Amino acid sequence: MKRFLLTLLLLWNVAAHAVTLEQLQQRFASQPVIRANFVQVRTIAGMAQPLVSRGQLLIAQQQGLWWQQNTPFPMTLILDDKRMVQSMSGQPPQVITAESNPQMFQFNHLLRALFQADEKVLKENFTLDFQDKGNENWQLGLTPKAAPLNKIFNRIELQGGAYLNRIQLDDKQGDKTDITLSDTRTEPGHLTDEERARFAPTP
Amino acid sequence: MRSARVLLRHREKNLALVWLTVCLALAIALACLLPRSQLNSSVLALLPQQNLGQAPAEIQQAFMQRLDRQLVWLVSSNADDGDAVAAWWQAQLKALPELKQVSGAMDDLQMQRWGAFAWQNRNGLIDDATRARLQSGGADQADWILAQLFSAFAGVSSQELQHDPLLLVRGAQLALQQNASKMVLHNGWLTVNDPQQRRWYFLHGELDSNAFSIRQSHQLVTALNQLEQQLKTRWPDARLLTRGTVLFSDDASQRAQHDVETLGSATLAGLLLLIWLVFRSLRPLALCALSVAIGAMAGTVATLLCFGELHLTTLVMSLSIVGISADYTLYYLTERMVHGNEASPWQSLQKVRATLLLALATTAIAWLLMLLAPFPGLRQLAVFAASGLSASCLTVICFYPWLVRGLPVRPIPGMVWLARWLAAWRRQRVLMWGLPALVAMYALLGILQLRVDDDIAHLQSAPQQLLAQDRQLAQLTGQQADQTWFVVWGDNPQQTLQRVSELAPALQQARQHRWLEGYRILPLNSLARQQQDLTLLAQAAPTITARLKQAGVTLAEADLHAMPVTPENWLASPLSEGWRLLWLSLPDGRSSVLVPVNGVRDSAALAQLAAQQPGVSWVDRKASYDQLFGFWRTLLSGLLALALLLITLSYVIRLGLKAGLRSALPSWLSLAAALATLGWIGASLNLFALLALILVLGIGINYTLFFSNPRGTPLTSMLAVTLAMMTTLLTLGMLVFSSTSAISSFGVVLCSGIFCAFLLAPLALAPRKRKQS
């Protein structure tokens, strides 16, 4: 009887296919490297056309986030535990370190937490609203709890299935940012030499 | 003969009257001065004045006072109720009348005012990075604006773009954050997270007045401690860290007061008991008290006249002077007690007067040598001692022949023992050679263990708990209490700001050279610089607009009017929050800016950097104190050696080579033994120990002088010297138990040196007497 109940319980769980935030995080944690293409559409209220940019991104659990915008102009952003480097052609890279600007680093941690669904960091900063959309699809709504985030965002929404597919930022001032990820790859599960070089410290 | 004696009496009477007048004048002066003067307890006041380099003295003083007024708190609790705990603490602090300008959370209104001021003056508040981007003609600024627009997390809104198309406010704000400490804004609070992810809330306040009396400080510290108790009862999980000079100076003054009360009363009781035991009469007690009191009065008046204040340390150390000033009375009274029957009070005085004056002179010179040391506390002490001792001695000479009439004549107490001791010195070669040899061995072995240490930190004996708090606070906030900074000053605010902007590139280079890790420079431009920026802006604006248009972004037209920011309106704005401390204006228009520096690796290079710029000086307080301590220690060592040589020379000339050297031996050995004691107890040699050595020399010579007084008998001298040594040890011995380490090591050196000088003093006497017999 006991065994029967246990089997039933397990079967029911599998059958339901419910995704929880915890499972999601476990799944993301099992993907040490994620590569994807992105399209970012920023709609700024009062501006005639939206600002559209495209490029590639790479998230490595150990190293951090590499964000390469290709159009309309090249710009690279690297985020890791200690620094944020933004480089544009023709300008010296702008380096912000965790020591020099902890305020900015709150955002950095947040950004990486968003991509990796780090529940702990997210829960500290937001009220979470997780919805299972069926068929492995899910949606995570984030409402900021405290200043300064609640002064900036109304809500942040993440959507995905097996991978994270979409991030929507709803700005307090009526502006919206919509990032769509496509062609997500998790192989190889480690960084190539060339990829590793991207995170090398700038002189 | 008779008329001569009457004449003499007449002169003596006049002398007494003159001294009485002086004493009355002193009393009146004291009554006038004392209510208006204050007791200084600031630790900083003890240290040399010239510690802000070449900056004008008024500026140095004003900055020092301001720094002394600051108080900082870090409060933390569970993540959930942290805001409430911090708000409660802020409310309690605001209710304290001793504090003003308590700042904690920045509310929405303040944030709005902050934003409004930054926006209304954006053309005048251009930062270095933006300036560099504008200098390229605007292309770099255009690229930067684009990068901000396209970055999802930069959050540039249409509103911002409308009001500030060149994103100048954003640039300035980013620059400020680059400059900021480890603090993070959380619900309007400046907070910092520790490695355990515990959030600490930052609060700041100022003492309400410049001259904070000891009583006020103590009231405040007591109130703060009570509040902390309440905080911990309400939120058992809460923790609190406090930093402020007032905590340290209150601690120091409480301990000093404790020293004065307990050590002072113990000293006095011991002294009274000793005099009672020797004289078995109340009058000597009263006489002793009189000369000590007149000495203390003269010392206080002289110190107040010279310095306008009394330092607490002076008060504690002056305990030791009480003991020495009693010596004069004791010497005269001993003489009277022994020879009271066969000599008149004036004859007795004549016997001892020369010796008394000589003793006074050597001691006073020893004290006055301390006037050389650039430490206000010691200078006060020197003036106090020299004038106090002189007054005590003059009191004995002018008054006491009139006052000792009828003093009982008694045999010397312990005469047998003293006589045996003296006889032993004359006959026992074992003692004569053995004791000095023993002392020499003790001295040699001790000196071998002696370390020299000029580190000023060893002189501070703040309680561990305060220091630990300070360290933790420094670790969390990244604000070290190192006190290394540049002082920039000018005849007017604009000249000062101009000099600051000239210093900035040099500092950047210094950072590249790794002479320092970081610095905080006032984010305020001179009017001249603002004018230049405006020109830059006007030149760059068309390029920026054109370039952004190419990228498909149309900007509103930028406002290129002058928006001058003067120090006055900047200081009045919320923008200067957290910076105001670094700006100082004197009533005559002179002004100054502090540029705090952290992580100093090459203090000398930074000093040189400052020397190359007009109106800039480099301040590394600890390093300069250490240097100063070392310098004065060396100088005083030299002076001391010179004094020893001169004394030896004078003995040799007076007594011949062999006897002269023998007479000088007690001085040499007592100094060596005093040094050795420091080594034996593991203390280190520093300036304070040297100062004590000077006194050992001065007082030690007194003993030799008492012995070699040709008119005195060895036994009386022995009694007087024994009494003098006992009173001195009673008073100086108390200093050993002082809770302030500088004072206690001062006491150790004095006591061991003086005891040794007493032990060996008969060495000066023995051979001469033996020759006579």
Side-chain angles (χ1 to χ4, degrees):
Chain A
M1 184 65 187
K2 221 177 193 175
R3 177 176 288 182
F4 172 69
L5 263 181
L6 202 68
T7 320
L8 194 71
L9 214 65
L10 279 172
L11 275 176
W12 180 78
N13 216 352
V14 172
H17 255 296
V19 192
T20 64
L21 184 54
E22 203 181 329
Q23 284 171 339
L24 199 63
Q25 204 193 331
Q26 273 170 12
R27 189 188 303 164
F28 282 0
S30 69
Q31 303 163 349
V33 185
I34 301 169
R35 303 162 184 84
N37 297 340
F38 73 83
V39 180
Q40 176 190 286
V41 181
R42 254 172 76 66
T43 318
I44 297 179
M47 198 174 269
Q49 70 237 54
L51 304 170
V52 183
S53 52
R54 289 162 209 278
Q56 289 125 35
L57 67 89
L58 171 81
I59 309 165
Q61 251 164 34
Q62 302 299 320
Q63 283 78 11
L65 169 71
W66 173 78
W67 177 277
Q68 171 69 51
Q69 172 184 308
N70 295 330
T71 56
F73 56 91
M75 175 175 80
T76 314
L77 186 75
I78 294 164
L79 293 182
D80 63 23
D81 279 342
K82 294 194 181 65
R83 69 207 166 106
M84 176 171 108
V85 185
Q86 181 181 305
S87 5
M88 284 178 74
S89 55
Q91 280 201 25
Q94 195 174 28
V95 184
I96 296 175
T97 61
E99 281 84 28
S100 75
N101 198 333
Q103 188 81 51
M104 188 65 102
F105 258 72
Q106 255 190 345
F107 290 105
N108 284 355
H109 285 304
L110 192 66
L111 192 59
R112 285 179 62 192
L114 282 181
F115 280 111
Q116 295 177 340
D118 185 338
E119 195 180 356
K120 185 170 165 289
V121 176
L122 293 182
K123 268 191 170 160
E124 256 175 37
N125 293 289
F126 300 96
T127 321
L128 304 188
D129 159 30
F130 187 80
Q131 285 174 32
D132 181 12
K133 293 280 187 183
N135 281 339
E136 282 257 341
N137 286 329
W138 49 268
Q139 180 181 325
L140 175 61
L142 307 163
T143 315
K145 273 199 272 199
L149 286 175
N150 62 5
K151 297 263 169 13
I152 301 170
F153 298 112
N154 276 328
R155 191 176 153 85
I156 299 175
E157 229 168 64
L158 310 181
Q159 285 168 32
Y163 304 113
L164 174 66
N165 293 337
R166 197 168 175 203
I167 303 173
Q168 284 172 290
L169 308 172
D170 180 5
D171 226 304
K172 205 90 185 167
Q173 289 155 318
D175 306 320
K176 287 189 169 48
T177 306
D178 193 333
I179 304 170
T180 315
L181 307 183
S182 60
D183 193 19
T184 308
R185 287 132 4 228
T186 53
E187 291 301 323
H190 55 84
L191 291 183
T192 65
D193 288 348
E194 184 271 325
E195 286 169 338
R196 196 175 296 277
R198 293 172 191 165
F199 289 100
T202 43
Chain B
M1 184 68 191
R2 194 183 158 82
S3 64
R5 197 181 291 169
V6 169
L7 212 66
L8 199 70
R9 270 314 143 75
H10 196 64
R11 213 190 72 189
E12 237 106 55
K13 207 171 186 171
N14 282 341
L15 209 61
L17 282 176
V18 167
W19 186 238
L20 189 68
T21 321
V22 172
C23 287
L24 286 177
L26 282 175
I28 292 167
L30 188 69
C32 293
L33 283 170
L34 210 54
R36 284 188 292 129
S37 62
Q38 48 167 323
L39 203 58
N40 190 343
S41 69
S42 161
V43 183
L44 287 175
L46 267 181
L47 296 167
Q49 294 287 312
Q50 71 265 42
N51 45 45
L52 280 192
Q54 286 75 48
E58 297 93 329
I59 287 175
Q60 299 181 19
Q61 210 178 359
F63 265 133
M64 284 302 146
Q65 272 178 357
R66 182 183 288 181
L67 289 172
D68 279 358
R69 289 211 309 259
Q70 306 309 313
L71 274 161
V72 161
W73 295 270
L74 282 183
V75 187
S76 98
S77 182
N78 279 331
D80 297 338
D81 55 9
D83 285 17
V85 174
W88 183 85
W89 186 249
Q90 185 179 8
Q92 304 305 310
L93 293 181
K94 277 197 164 150
L96 288 178
E98 291 95 346
L99 294 178
K100 66 170 182 184
Q101 291 181 352
V102 175
S103 64
M106 212 197 251
D107 56 27
D108 287 352
L109 191 72
Q110 270 173 303
M111 295 279 234
Q112 276 168 21
R113 282 181 53 221
W114 200 96
F117 187 87
W119 179 70
Q120 278 156 9
N121 296 285
R122 61 191 180 279
N123 291 352
L125 292 167
I126 291 188
D127 61 288
D128 289 349
T130 306
R131 184 176 302 120
R133 287 194 295 264
L134 289 174
Q135 269 158 352
S136 71
D140 285 354
Q141 181 71 5
D143 287 348
W144 182 76
I145 294 173
L146 272 178
Q148 293 290 315
L149 280 175
F150 275 91
S151 169
F153 279 80
V156 182
S157 71
S158 51
Q159 228 181 344
E160 184 181 347
L161 217 51
Q162 200 74 68
H163 286 118
D164 179 19
L166 302 182
L167 299 187
L168 297 177
V169 175
R170 174 174 287 259
Q173 209 168 333
L174 273 174
L176 270 185
Q177 284 171 356
Q178 285 275 29
N179 218 334
S181 59
K182 291 178 166 180
M183 307 279 182
V184 173
L185 210 57
H186 168 86
N187 279 348
W189 289 92
L190 278 178
T191 64
V192 64
N193 283 5
D194 65 15
Q196 287 78 43
Q197 292 307 310
R198 202 181 161 93
R199 183 177 285 129
W200 294 83
Y201 292 73
F202 184 85
L203 292 102
H204 172 261
E206 264 180 39
L207 302 182
D208 195 23
S209 80
N210 263 337
F212 223 56
S213 75
I214 292 174
R215 199 173 49 82
Q216 278 173 302
S217 309
H218 192 57
Q219 257 170 17
L220 176 65
V221 174
T222 317
L224 285 175
N225 287 338
Q226 278 167 358
L227 285 180
E228 188 175 352
Q229 286 309 313
Q230 286 178 33
L231 178 83
K232 295 211 165 133
T233 330
R234 277 180 87 126
W235 291 278
D237 185 46
R239 275 190 262 161
L240 178 75
L241 299 173
T242 315
R243 169 187 279 175
T245 314
V246 67
L247 297 184
F248 287 92
S249 63
D250 177 62
D251 176 75
S253 65
Q254 287 310 307
R255 278 188 295 160
Q257 267 178 346
H258 178 261
D259 281 0
V260 170
E261 281 159 18
T262 57
L263 301 186
S265 45
T267 303
L268 207 64
L271 211 60
L272 295 182
L273 191 69
L274 185 72
I275 295 168
W276 171 254
L277 284 177
V278 174
F279 295 99
R280 304 286 162 99
S281 158
L282 276 180
R283 194 169 337 162
L285 272 184
L287 290 180
C288 235
L290 181 69
S291 80
V292 165
I294 289 178
M297 187 169 74
T300 310
V301 170
T303 313
L304 286 179
L305 279 179
C306 291
F307 301 95
E309 57 165 25
L310 255 182
H311 200 279
L312 253 182
T313 318
T314 314
L315 212 63
V316 177
M317 303 266 270
S318 56
L319 281 180
S320 63
I321 298 152
V322 170
I324 301 170
S325 69
D327 287 359
Y328 307 123
T329 315
L330 290 178
Y331 190 44
Y332 180 65
L333 292 184
T334 326
E335 184 63 34
R336 288 303 297 155
M337 184 172 77
V338 177
H339 305 286
N341 283 337
E342 65 256 33
S344 77
W346 279 276
Q347 282 169 333
S348 299
L349 182 66
Q350 268 195 329
K351 260 173 93 176
V352 300
R353 186 162 48 201
T355 311
L356 276 186
L357 287 174
L358 203 58
L360 172 68
T362 49
T363 320
I365 285 171
W367 279 107
L368 287 176
L369 262 183
M370 290 195 194
L371 268 180
L372 284 176
F375 300 91
L378 285 173
R379 285 190 178 159
Q380 283 189 20
L381 192 63
V383 168
F384 188 101
S387 51
L389 290 177
S390 306
S392 282
C393 190
L394 286 177
T395 304
V396 173
I397 291 172
C398 299
F399 287 169
Y400 285 11
W402 299 93
L403 299 176
V404 291
R405 271 176 297 183
L407 194 79
V409 176
R410 295 182 55 244
I412 297 171
M415 186 166 74
V416 183
W417 293 102
L418 290 177
R420 277 191 191 159
W421 175 244
L422 276 178
W425 269 103
R426 285 182 202 157
R427 297 200 191 98
Q428 306 284 331
R429 295 192 77 85
V430 183
L431 182 66
M432 237 187 81
W433 296 108
L435 195 60
L438 218 63
V439 171
M441 204 138 88
Y442 170 85
L444 194 70
L445 288 178
I447 286 175
L448 284 177
Q449 302 170 48
L450 191 62
R451 289 170 298 114
V452 175
D453 194 345
D454 295 318
D455 191 344
I456 182 184
H458 294 295
L459 297 177
Q460 292 168 338
S461 45
Q464 283 309 309
Q465 172 243 343
L466 275 186
L467 290 175
Q469 252 190 72
D470 210 54
R471 261 198 304 276
Q472 204 183 344
L473 217 142
Q475 224 165 36
L476 281 171
T477 59
Q479 296 172 354
Q480 299 295 333
D482 273 355
Q483 306 200 329
T484 49
W485 54 62
F486 287 96
V487 187
V488 184
W489 73 93
D491 294 335
N492 54 61
Q494 290 308 319
Q495 190 185 30
T496 307
L497 288 176
Q498 199 65 44
R499 285 173 171 176
V500 170
S501 68
E502 281 156 23
L503 176 67
L507 286 182
Q508 212 168 359
Q509 278 187 344
R511 182 154 58 186
Q512 277 162 7
H513 289 311
R514 300 197 160 272
W515 294 343
L516 52 82
E517 257 164 41
Y519 53 87
R520 262 164 68 86
I521 208 157
L522 207 68
L524 177 62
N525 300 320
S526 67
L527 288 173
R529 173 51 74 76
Q530 290 180 41
Q531 192 55 50
Q532 291 164 9
D533 286 346
L534 201 64
T535 315
L536 266 184
L537 213 54
Q539 284 165 354
T543 317
I544 298 173
T545 314
R547 211 170 157 109
L548 282 168
K549 205 167 202 166
Q550 261 179 3
V553 181
T554 313
L555 291 183
E557 199 166 333
D559 184 347
L560 299 173
H561 286 100
M563 303 174 179
V565 185
T566 61
E568 292 77 38
N569 56 34
W570 183 76
L571 286 169
S573 79
L575 219 61
S576 60
E577 193 78 56
W579 293 99
R580 277 172 215 145
L581 274 180
L582 303 181
W583 175 274
L584 183 88
S585 285
L586 294 178
D588 63 3
R590 279 185 296 171
S591 51
S592 177
V593 169
L594 275 193
V595 182
V597 168
N598 65 295
V600 176
R601 289 211 187 82
D602 192 344
S603 191
L606 293 177
Q608 208 175 359
L609 185 155
Q612 285 160 2
Q613 312 243 352
V616 178
S617 77
W618 165 243
V619 178
D620 184 346
R621 294 187 85 197
K622 194 185 161 314
S624 59
Y625 283 140
D626 290 354
Q627 236 173 12
L628 204 73
F629 269 51
F631 171 74
W632 282 98
R633 181 183 46 74
T634 323
L635 187 78
L636 286 181
S637 307
L639 276 179
L640 206 60
L642 191 71
L644 261 180
L645 278 178
L646 285 178
I647 288 163
T648 312
L649 205 66
S650 79
Y651 277 130
V652 168
I653 289 171
R654 239 171 354 127
L655 308 170
L657 187 67
K658 205 171 160 193
L661 284 182
R662 211 198 306 272
S663 296
L665 202 60
S667 296
W668 287 92
L669 283 180
S670 61
L671 288 188
L675 272 180
T677 310
L678 272 189
W680 282 109
I681 65 170
S684 53
L685 176 64
N686 58 32
L687 182 66
F688 279 83
L690 250 299
L691 293 169
L693 283 185
I694 294 179
L695 286 185
V696 169
L697 188 65
I699 298 171
I701 287 175
N702 280 359
Y703 298 164
T704 333
L705 286 174
F706 283 180
F707 264 115
S708 58
N709 180 8
R711 300 193 191 186
T713 44
L715 209 57
T716 332
S717 302
M718 189 69 219
L719 179 63
V721 168
T722 312
L723 272 184
M725 186 273 298
M726 283 168 89
T727 53
T728 309
L729 282 194
L730 255 179
T731 48
L732 297 182
M734 288 301 163
L735 292 184
V736 175
F737 300 108
S738 166
S739 44
T740 311
S741 71
I743 295 182
S744 119
S745 69
F746 186 84
V748 166
V749 174
L750 273 175
C751 284
S752 53
I754 282 168
F755 183 69
C756 182
F758 162 77
L759 267 187
L760 299 177
L763 204 61
L765 158 110
R768 218 152 30 102
K769 289 290 167 188
R770 197 169 38 186
K771 257 181 223 163
Q772 279 175 7
S773 57

